[in-house]
């Protein structure tokens, strides 16, 4: 499956936005209207590696850190402003051996982003990614 196939799968599971990136910050695939600069990916990786969570942005939108688990390889943030469908976006950022998966969701089921990202990451880890 191509990287875009994984993004399509994440979107089909209910995400509003998502992207797959290497831990070096390179884009593998992204959903439409989602464009995370290299610097944002590296800043997320720094937080996941135990660094200071200063000025977290996703898709050029300032975010508030909700939770970070460096041992589990994930963090959760929410945009500070309404940016998508007149709502704030909850993002689950999870890692595999080589990738960073960003899954964003809005609305009442926003926390479903955790399960969506977790299932994709578990599959990718089994495939040695």
């Amino acid at each position: 499956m191509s990287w875009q196939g994984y993004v399509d799968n994440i979107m089909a599971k209910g995400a509003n936005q998502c992207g797959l990136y290497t831990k070096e910050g390179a884009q593998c695939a992204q959903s439409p209207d989602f464009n995370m600069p290299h610097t944002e990916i590296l800043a997320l990786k720094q937080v996941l590696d135990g660094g200071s969570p200063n000025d977290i942005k996703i898709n050029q939108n300032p975010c508030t850190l909700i939770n970070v688990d460096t041992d589990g390889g994930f963090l959760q943030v929410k945009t500070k402003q309404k940016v998508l469908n007149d709502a704030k976006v909850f993002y689950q950022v999870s890692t595999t051996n080589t990738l960073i998966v960003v899954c964003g969701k809005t609305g009442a089921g926003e926390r479903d982003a955790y399960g969506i990202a977790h299932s994709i990451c578990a599959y990718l880890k089994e495939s040695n990614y």
Side-chain angles (χ1 to χ4, degrees):
M1 179 183 297
S2 71
W3 292 126
Q4 189 60 46
Y6 288 102
V7 166
D8 295 343
N9 188 345
I10 292 168
M11 297 296 288
K13 291 182 179 206
N16 296 99
Q17 297 179 324
C18 65
L20 276 73
Y21 309 90
T22 68
K23 287 188 174 179
E24 291 78 30
Q27 173 192 330
C28 297
Q30 300 179 125
S31 61
D33 300 325
F34 193 64
N35 185 20
M36 288 191 58
H38 177 82
T39 54
E40 288 181 6
I41 300 300
L42 294 180
L44 291 173
K45 183 174 182 314
Q46 181 180 355
V47 174
L48 288 163
D49 289 344
S52 175
N54 294 333
D55 299 325
I56 295 175
K57 289 184 179 180
I58 293 185
N59 204 31
Q60 294 92 38
N61 297 298
C63 296
T64 300
L65 181 65
I66 296 171
N67 188 16
V68 62
D69 182 345
T70 55
D71 293 332
F74 74 87
L75 63 85
Q76 298 166 330
V77 300
K78 192 165 189 173
T79 58
K80 293 181 179 181
Q81 302 162 0
K82 295 178 180 180
V83 296
L84 184 65
N85 302 328
D86 199 32
K88 294 181 179 181
V89 183
F90 174 86
Y91 290 102
Q92 174 76 27
V93 180
S94 300
T95 60
T96 68
N97 300 330
T98 60
L99 299 170
I100 296 174
V101 177
V102 180
C103 178
K105 192 154 172 47
T106 61
E110 68 183 14
R111 299 288 173 131
D112 292 347
Y114 170 81
I116 295 168
H118 180 74
S119 66
I120 294 294
C121 284
Y123 177 80
L124 289 169
K125 284 179 182 177
E126 288 175 11
S127 302
N128 292 320
Y129 285 105

